[in-house]
Amino acid sequence: MTDMQYSLPDAQGHFGPYGGVFVAETLMPALAELRAAYEASRADPAFIAEFEHELKHYVGRPSPIYYARRLSEKLGGARILLKREDLDHTGAHKVNNCIGQALLARRMGKPRVIAETGAGQHGVATATVAARYGFECVVYMGSEDIERQAANVYRMKLLGAAVAPVESGSRTLKDALNEAMRDWVTNVSNTFYIIGTVAGPHPYPAMVRDFQTVIGKECLAQMPEAFGRQPDAIIACVGGGSNAMGIFHPYIPHEGVRLIGVEAAGEGIATGRHAAPLTANARAGVLHGNRTYLMQDENGQVIETHSISAGLDYPGVGPEHAWLKDSGRAEYVAVTDDEALEAFHTLCRLEGIIPALESSHAAAYAMKIAPALGKDKLLLVNLSGRGDKDIHTVGERSGIRF
Amino acid sequence: MSRIQSVFQNLQAAGRKALIPFITAGDPDGELTVPLMRALVAGGADIIELGVPFSDPMADGPTIQRASERALAGGMSLGKVLGIVRAFRAGDDATPVVLMGYANPVEAMGQGAFAAAARDAGVDGVLVVDYPPEECTAFTAGLRAAGLDQIFLLAPTSTEQRFRDVARCGGGYIYYVSLKGVTGAANIDFDELGRRIPRVRAAVGIPVGVGFGIRDAASAKRIGAFADAVVIGSRIIEEIEASPRERSAANVETFVRGIRAALDETAGAKP
């Protein structure tokens, strides 16, 4: 453990050259209001107590760390540990952040919440908290993702949310975000926008991270109890990057712990059909309210991305990840659709765990490096969600129709 | 004095209001943009806002999104937009051109390179929707050094303190967003605008134009009663969409002329 100082972002939401508040004027006052409400809430013991109470009794926290013994023994190297965010209520880590933002929305007196979703996990989590706290809820989802994630769409409807299909652009996550922003700018006085990842304008990247750090804080306590020490490396998938920031952030001062973010290489970085702006060293740009690594053409137009996993299919990445890459504190790699699928099947068969395709990327990278590492090494993988939502996608790859 | 300033000064002296039409460069194709710009001027435009298409136009409604998609499908880029302005300038040295778009194409070209290239092409003003003043101090200084006006937005949600902060950085005119929403929406509260605009003008000390959701002569006339300028975008793009290619310039000119006539009926109304 060291005393490495880390207090980013600055007051304007910058992580070095990244982050910030790049939005149209109409939203500037709303973001100022949100910043003020969030700053007051995070300093309020009653708010924190309610957040923690909800995480324990509604989400089912803390989530366990599980030693994947058969997987580790088969690989013959480092021990692989899984932080079981797939066991959270709604089936993924997304709900941690949604609880936090819902409590904030209630405190700010907003009767309506909106969200964007890619894989549908954040949409489901938002619809869930909207039902739990009695908000009207609209979830924006690209029409291509609606097709890929039909079960989650129905889940949101069961929970009382309206799912609004987005037909513009590439009809995926980034376009859903554009449309949610348009809704917010139109209904800003009565609507709280629950962003699902550590992107967007300040204070979202810091706020979403803070709500998700419950993951890493639990690990800090659980690792010494169950395994006698902290892990050698933490591995998490990165689309926008909220599960990764949640588990990385409390470990930033622990310099002996490697932090490894795994992006979606899609069909391979060299093919250009991927969603890995950090790994591919994409140029920095401005999208969705912040400056970050951004997949774009030479004229600054955002390009279409590809991943088998809808939740990683995003051309940007949270600005704090951009900063962690440049600073060298975290490393970023990418695994392909095929590698993620193989990890998906391996976890199913060796551990009885069906992982989300997103989380399968993190597992795939752990499986890649574990054999070359000693048996005394500990790799902690953030298993950010369960894969029931993905069985259609995986089945189709095997020629199975439901 | 900049072209934009002299336009407002002359209009003010005549007791008239500025008409600022918006079209997206490259919509429906790059060859038609200069003829469309000339048609706007012929119809009575005082300043032209030329949209730089972007893949993710978050502040725009469906009409301008479609225009952006058509323009990008035809290969339009910020560099080509500057070429269009240069071609327009070759035949019109008087009408100010304001580029309106999003940050990322500017970031990709480089802020400094953009300011120099825009000046050389004959651009007069620049409005970057997702560059609020606090995120673009260097850009603002670069534009100012190049002699360009940076136009900023103010909105129904802006506080009076914000009016003053934005005015300190801005030049040319203030683009006041008429409603909470995206371009082309249809929920303008004219009474509220009538109360707000005089307060905005008093705080900013430069002309105030109003845009978003102004669709016809009647609404333009109502806005013209209290604003210095009226911006019309989505409705003109609908005109282009509905016209056969060879008729679009003539139809746009006719539409703009109708708005011009309505605005001039308010001539002499107190500023």
Side-chain angles (χ1 to χ4, degrees):
Chain A
M1 209 174 295
T2 75
D3 59 353
M4 175 181 168
Q5 292 298 306
Y6 191 87
S7 57
L8 296 176
D10 67 15
Q12 287 74 44
H14 296 119
F15 302 87
Y18 307 111
V21 188
F22 294 89
V23 297
E25 187 60 31
T26 310
L27 290 178
M28 293 297 283
L31 288 163
E33 181 193 2
L34 177 60
R35 279 197 299 277
Y38 177 57
E39 288 307 320
S41 301
R42 66 188 296 212
D44 178 356
F47 181 88
I48 294 166
E50 185 172 10
F51 179 55
E52 288 175 350
H53 180 274
E54 294 291 280
L55 290 182
K56 180 174 180 188
H57 297 281
Y58 189 65
V59 177
R61 304 203 71 90
S63 68
I65 295 178
Y66 165 77
Y67 169 39
R69 181 185 300 276
R70 294 190 68 216
L71 175 66
S72 304
E73 285 173 356
K74 179 164 189 263
L75 295 167
R79 282 193 282 168
I80 295 178
L81 314 176
L82 305 176
K83 176 64 171 168
R84 298 291 307 278
E85 292 301 304
D86 60 317
L87 298 178
D88 294 348
H89 178 45
T90 74
H93 74 289
K94 293 287 187 190
V95 72
N96 302 326
N97 165 54
C98 289
I99 299 267
Q101 291 197 47
L103 294 177
L104 201 51
R106 198 184 58 190
R107 189 180 170 119
M108 294 172 73
K110 309 282 186 185
R112 178 174 181 270
V113 299
I114 57 170
E116 83 295 337
T117 199
Q121 289 305 101
H122 174 58
V124 167
T126 302
T128 299
V129 300
R132 164 77 183 82
Y133 301 104
F135 298 119
E136 181 192 343
C137 177
V138 178
V139 178
Y140 290 91
M141 190 168 185
S143 56
E144 180 170 331
D145 289 337
I146 285 181
E147 216 165 279
R148 288 195 278 192
Q149 302 289 347
N152 267 345
V153 173
Y154 185 55
R155 217 165 265 146
M156 288 183 260
K157 289 178 179 168
L158 285 175
L159 292 161
V163 179
V166 177
E167 300 288 355
S168 56
S170 58
R171 297 177 290 127
T172 59
L173 179 55
K174 84 172 172 72
D175 309 287
L177 230 152
N178 292 338
E179 210 54 40
M181 285 275 194
R182 292 182 185 116
D183 179 312
W184 197 31
V185 89
T186 306
N187 302 295
V188 62
S189 42
N190 75 342
T191 297
F192 190 106
Y193 180 13
I194 300 186
I195 292 185
T197 192
V198 287
H202 181 59
Y204 282 100
M207 178 172 73
V208 175
R209 172 199 74 195
D210 291 347
F211 289 137
Q212 291 292 1
T213 53
V214 62
I215 305 171
K217 287 176 187 160
E218 285 175 5
C219 293
L220 274 176
Q222 290 167 320
M223 284 299 302
E225 278 171 24
F227 303 96
R229 64 184 182 87
Q230 297 301 340
D232 296 288
I234 295 177
I235 303 173
C237 66
V238 176
S242 70
N243 87 82
M245 272 324 305
I247 195 166
F248 285 179
H249 190 261
Y251 278 93
I252 287 173
H254 297 248
E255 286 182 331
V257 181
R258 283 172 68 191
L259 305 176
I260 305 173
V262 185
E263 295 187 300
E267 295 174 5
I269 299 286
T271 68
R273 285 180 52 77
H274 61 84
L278 294 171
T279 310
N281 275 313
R283 203 170 53 233
V286 171
L287 181 69
H288 296 150
N290 65 100
R291 184 181 280 125
T292 188
Y293 282 69
L294 180 63
M295 291 178 56
Q296 53 184 306
D297 68 14
E298 70 278 12
N299 296 314
Q301 305 298 338
V302 179
I303 58 178
E304 290 192 13
T305 53
H306 170 80
S307 170
I308 190 172
S309 140
L312 301 183
D313 207 352
Y314 182 69
V317 62
E320 193 164 10
H321 285 295
W323 169 247
L324 287 174
K325 174 183 165 77
D326 286 9
S327 71
R329 178 61 190 93
E331 39 195 306
Y332 294 87
V333 297
V335 308
T336 63
D337 289 349
D338 289 344
E339 291 169 320
L341 270 170
E342 193 185 326
F344 176 96
H345 287 296
T346 304
L347 271 180
C348 287
R349 285 192 298 257
L350 289 182
E351 298 294 347
I353 292 171
I354 302 178
L357 281 173
E358 290 77 16
S359 323
S360 298
H361 285 71
Y365 191 71
M367 290 159 61
K368 206 181 235 187
I369 64 172
L373 297 171
K375 290 189 159 79
D376 58 328
K377 299 290 185 198
L378 297 175
L379 300 181
L380 177 59
V381 174
N382 197 12
L383 200 75
S384 53
R386 70 176 183 226
D388 307 54
K389 68 181 175 62
D390 294 313
I391 57 174
H392 284 79
T393 307
V394 175
E396 275 170 25
R397 286 273 180 140
S398 311
I400 294 164
R401 283 265 163 201
F402 291 87
Chain B
M1 187 183 300
S2 75
R3 279 197 199 94
I4 295 175
Q5 280 174 312
S6 58
V7 160
F8 277 106
Q9 205 166 68
N10 293 340
L11 286 168
Q12 205 163 18
R16 298 169 73 221
K17 301 307 172 98
L19 173 55
I20 310 182
F22 168 100
I23 58 172
T24 298
D27 171 44
D29 59 67
E31 283 69 48
L32 208 53
T33 303
V34 171
L36 282 169
M37 291 170 78
R38 301 216 190 287
L40 296 174
V41 176
D46 298 297
I47 296 172
I48 293 173
E49 283 187 357
L50 189 59
V52 180
F54 181 49
S55 52
D56 295 80
M58 285 182 297
D60 286 302
T63 303
I64 294 179
Q65 285 180 54
R66 284 197 303 272
S68 284
E69 286 177 6
R70 284 190 295 267
L72 291 175
M76 191 46 55
S77 66
L78 179 53
K80 289 182 183 170
V81 173
L82 293 175
I84 285 172
V85 175
R86 200 173 297 113
F88 173 76
R89 260 305 154 247
D92 185 329
D93 197 34
T95 310
V97 174
V98 172
L99 296 189
M100 183 166 179
Y102 293 81
N104 204 52
V106 171
E107 301 246 323
M109 182 176 283
Q111 294 182 345
F114 168 74
R119 177 201 54 210
D120 294 348
V123 169
D124 299 282
V126 176
L127 195 170
V128 180
V129 174
D130 47 353
Y131 268 165
E134 44 275 82
E135 289 291 0
C136 63
T137 20
F139 182 63
T140 302
L143 287 182
R144 197 166 284 172
L148 301 179
D149 286 318
Q150 189 171 8
I151 318 294
F152 283 105
L153 299 170
L154 281 171
T157 52
S158 305
T159 60
E160 303 228 356
Q161 179 61 45
R162 190 79 187 155
F163 295 171
R164 289 187 289 274
D165 293 346
V166 168
R168 249 197 309 281
C169 312
Y173 56 95
I174 286 291
Y175 186 136
Y176 188 83
V177 176
S178 65
L179 46 79
K180 292 177 195 157
V182 292
T183 52
N187 51 334
I188 297 181
D189 181 341
F190 289 96
D191 294 338
E192 172 64 14
L193 265 182
R195 285 189 294 273
R196 290 273 286 181
I197 296 303
R199 300 217 305 270
V200 174
R201 192 190 293 100
V204 300
I206 54 176
V208 178
V210 174
F212 280 39
I214 301 168
R215 302 192 54 79
D216 51 27
S219 51
K221 190 175 167 182
R222 288 182 77 179
I223 300 286
F226 42 76
D228 301 302
V230 172
V231 186
I232 302 189
S234 298
R235 181 62 189 79
I236 292 175
I237 288 173
E238 286 171 15
E239 199 67 32
I240 296 171
E241 279 181 331
S243 303
R245 187 178 187 280
E246 67 280 5
R247 288 288 309 155
S248 56
N251 288 353
V252 161
E253 183 180 331
T254 305
F255 175 78
V256 171
R257 183 166 290 126
I259 304 290
R260 173 84 266 167
L263 264 188
D264 287 347
E265 286 171 23
T266 58
K270 69 182 175 62

